[in-house]
Amino acid sequence: MAKRALTSFVCSQCGNDSPKWLGKCPVCGEWNTYVEEVIATKSSARQLPGLTGYETQKIHPVLLQQIDTGEEIRMDLKDGELNRVLGGGLVPGSMVLIGGEPGIGKSTLVLQTVLKLKNYKTLYVSGEESARQLKLRAERIGTEYEKLYILCETNLEQIFTHINTLKPDLLIVDSVQTIYTERVESSPGSITQVRESAAALLKFAKETGTPTLLIGHINKEGSIAGPKVLEHIVDTVLQFEGDRHYMYRILRNIKNRFGSTSELGIYEMRQNGLREVDNPSELLLTRNHEGLSGVAIAAAIEGIRPFLIETQALVSTAAYGTPQRSATGFDIRRMNMLLAVLEKRAGFKLIQKDVFLNIAGGLRVNDPAMDLSVISAILSSSLDVAIEWEICMSGEVGLSGEIRPVNRIEQRILEAEKLGFKKILIPQNNLKNKSNSNIKIVQVKKVEEAFRELFG
Ligand code: TYD
Ligand code: MG
């Protein structure tokens, strides 16, 4: 009797395994995510080559008091945005995963970063693009550098052989889904393969102190490589996102063992690579809408950075029975809630109107302080009365139309003032100590008050 291959069913969302197929994953609660995978390790397979010539550290239990925290030396990546999102540079021995949809610019970001690192020997393992393609891309970005090694290889055993001879200071793997190890039988890209390969790379990073950057694709549900397992393995998860039709790209930190996750990096995709955007407000405000209705400027904060952003709304009479609702860059359920508040407080006839909402620049802003500008832009378009262009606003709107306090109001006011706004609408009792600033601060308690201030 032929011996059956040893298989197991693995949840493609969280990586949980089970000997039999399950409809619903008991761990993550997702439906229909179990796939069968061969888990047997090949007896004939070679072991991963040991790390030779590296000073690997023996690990012993140590007393907490005796651990030397010292000043952590981080690797400066010569990219302000990336450094900040990582919490001040790359930590030696850490493993960072950069996830994003195909074509968003992950390879470009990593390549242009390593091209700038003159003091480090970098090994760029590419399983997707040929060396020629990478060279063309590097030429497009425009910096040449002699200490960057390209390796077009997907076999993990082979990769480790080259690592042993080259001893890079920084390792890049583009992408983790293309790498496979001979030790497990399942096909490249499967959960078992990705997990095994990532675990072996993590071991390498930790034992040798070599920082390792993995690039990973996001599946359509938005989780990296289906297997969320990767997110547990690595130290830091960065997500590169943006609308491919716009030039802005956002680098978000969704997990960080060495810093805060509230940081955000903004880039602009150019012909010659990605450009850091250090002053987002100036790009997000076009200021060519003077006198046009349906535009409100929000003083928003993402991470720790305040910026001013345009909220645009278009309200028209619904042609069909069911009015259309669409929101780009804003949660549509939240918009529907705000529309209901408008109906109650400003006599806005919901049922007869189509509402389209757009946050400028293809950004997705999660700051609740956007509410006031969303509701004002919609009313402005509905009334066809423009909001004065020197006014901006910040405030969360509650169900009864009250305007709730938001965080870091001082920073928002400062940014608005810096950009030359004359007036800012903020929630009442939000600002504790009023400093004498050039901008007129108007405190509002209810949406009606805000509307009176804006539309008279
Ligand atoms: P890429 O880095 O290959 O994406 P990923 O690795 O996330 O799949 O980026 C692909 C897109 O970026 C491609 O559509 C072309 C565009 N691009 C530019 O606009 N300017 C550039 O300088 C480069 C290198 C790419
Ligand atoms: Mg790529």
Side-chain angles (χ1 to χ4, degrees):
M1 202 172 78
K3 209 172 141 212
R4 274 197 62 212
L6 189 57
T7 64
S8 165
F9 290 88
V10 188
C11 172
S12 53
Q13 273 298 314
C14 67
N16 181 49
D17 50 15
S18 146
K20 61 179 199 316
W21 188 83
L22 297 173
K24 184 185 178 192
C25 177
V27 176
C28 66
E30 287 294 317
W31 286 91
N32 215 6
T33 52
Y34 275 77
V35 287
E36 189 172 16
E37 285 203 354
V38 183
I39 51 157
T41 49
K42 279 189 196 165
S43 51
S44 60
R46 286 186 292 142
Q47 279 296 310
L48 278 179
L51 298 165
T52 51
Y54 273 107
E55 239 179 77
T56 53
Q57 293 153 1
K58 281 271 174 293
I59 298 163
H60 302 288
V62 262
L63 277 172
L64 184 65
Q65 298 99 294
Q66 290 171 359
I67 298 173
D68 181 21
T69 46
E71 236 339 273
E72 201 174 23
I73 307 151
R74 292 188 181 227
M75 190 168 164
D76 177 9
L77 293 176
K78 304 270 189 284
D79 180 317
E81 303 291 296
L82 195 56
N83 275 341
R84 192 157 33 73
V85 173
L86 284 169
L90 198 56
V91 175
S94 68
M95 188 146 102
V96 178
L97 174 69
I98 300 184
E101 287 176 17
I104 206 77
K106 303 178 293 296
S107 307
T108 308
L109 176 68
V110 173
L111 187 68
Q112 78 171 47
T113 305
V114 297
L115 281 170
K116 278 185 273 183
L117 298 175
K118 299 262 182 274
N119 301 325
Y120 301 98
K121 184 158 57 167
T122 309
L123 177 63
Y124 191 113
V125 179
S126 173
E128 295 190 344
E129 282 156 302
S130 67
R132 212 181 95 79
Q133 275 174 303
L134 279 164
K135 172 83 183 173
L136 287 175
R137 189 193 297 248
E139 274 169 5
R140 195 167 164 190
I141 294 167
T143 28
E144 278 259 11
Y145 175 48
E146 75 274 13
K147 260 195 187 163
L148 174 65
Y149 291 86
I150 306 288
L151 173 66
C152 295
E153 177 64 74
T154 52
N155 180 314
L156 194 67
E157 281 72 17
Q158 289 294 332
I159 294 171
F160 272 112
T161 317
H162 292 296
I163 288 177
N164 268 332
T165 43
L166 198 66
K167 306 224 165 18
D169 301 320
L170 172 65
L171 176 69
I172 314 287
V173 178
D174 184 3
S175 67
V176 64
Q177 279 99 354
T178 56
I179 306 298
Y180 74 97
T181 163
E182 289 169 12
R183 292 192 302 162
V184 286
E185 267 176 10
S186 48
S187 55
S190 67
I191 300 142
T192 327
Q193 279 289 2
V194 171
R195 186 165 49 186
E196 284 293 312
S197 307
L201 288 164
L202 180 76
K203 191 160 170 280
F204 159 75
K206 295 285 172 235
E207 284 183 1
T208 64
T210 313
T212 303
L213 268 156
L214 304 181
I215 293 179
H217 293 298
I218 278 188
N219 67 356
K220 58 176 181 306
E221 285 87 29
S223 64
I224 289 163
K228 272 240 181 238
V229 279
L230 262 189
E231 294 188 15
H232 297 299
I233 295 176
V234 302
D235 297 308
T236 304
V237 182
L238 304 182
Q239 191 154 308
F240 206 36
E241 54 189 47
D243 196 319
R244 236 183 300 169
H245 304 292
Y246 290 93
M247 53 198 181
Y248 302 114
R249 300 284 181 273
I250 295 187
L251 192 64
R252 246 179 238 285
N253 195 327
I254 47 181
K255 170 186 173 180
N256 195 359
R257 288 197 179 133
F258 310 109
S260 114
T261 51
S262 58
E263 276 305 341
L264 192 84
I266 303 181
Y267 291 92
E268 184 188 354
M269 183 59 105
R270 292 265 182 103
Q271 276 309 311
N272 54 353
L274 291 150
R275 190 184 69 89
E276 298 169 40
V277 175
D278 2 86
N279 189 356
S281 304
E282 294 197 349
L283 278 164
L284 298 171
L285 286 183
T286 51
R287 295 234 170 132
N288 53 6
H289 50 74
E290 246 176 279
L292 296 183
S293 66
V295 181
I297 315 280
I301 283 191
E302 275 283 322
I304 58 162
R305 254 200 311 187
F307 54 86
L308 283 107
I309 187 163
E310 248 170 59
T311 316
Q312 306 170 333
L314 178 66
V315 176
S316 60
T317 312
Y320 304 103
T322 327
Q324 293 189 62
R325 304 272 187 265
S326 136
T328 317
F330 193 77
D331 183 11
I332 186 128
R333 278 169 305 179
R334 185 130 196 116
M335 182 180 90
N336 282 330
M337 185 282 268
L338 293 173
L339 287 175
V341 173
L342 260 182
E343 176 162 51
K344 198 90 181 164
R345 303 281 152 195
F348 179 83
K349 293 279 175 291
L350 266 179
I351 196 80
Q352 299 160 3
K353 308 276 192 198
D354 286 342
V355 180
F356 306 95
L357 183 75
N358 180 34
I359 308 295
L363 289 197
R364 186 168 183 87
V365 189
N366 297 323
D367 186 2
M370 292 287 292
D371 288 358
L372 187 57
S373 69
V374 168
I375 208 166
S376 306
I378 295 172
L379 192 63
S380 158
S381 175
S382 176
L383 299 171
D384 200 17
V385 177
I387 297 173
E388 254 179 81
W389 69 282
E390 282 169 321
I391 302 183
C392 64
M393 59 205 80
S394 210
E396 183 182 341
V397 175
L399 282 182
S400 58
E402 81 275 20
I403 298 177
R404 308 166 65 100
V406 293
N407 62 356
R408 299 180 208 242
I409 193 74
E410 295 84 3
Q411 264 177 287
R412 298 173 197 262
I413 296 172
L414 216 64
E415 180 74 8
E417 192 184 342
K418 214 164 72 191
L419 287 163
F421 281 85
K422 294 278 182 291
K423 197 194 275 184
I424 182 166
L425 265 56
I426 64 163
Q428 193 150 48
N429 300 330
N430 205 169
L431 191 65
K432 295 287 170 303
N433 35 5
K434 253 198 228 169
S435 51
N436 41 353
S437 45
N438 291 330
I439 189 165
K440 188 173 172 218
I441 299 169
V442 181
Q443 308 205 19
V444 282
K445 200 167 164 196
K446 295 239 149 223
V447 284
E448 292 95 320
E449 277 173 44
F451 296 155
R452 230 174 291 132
E453 187 65 39
L454 294 171
F455 308 109

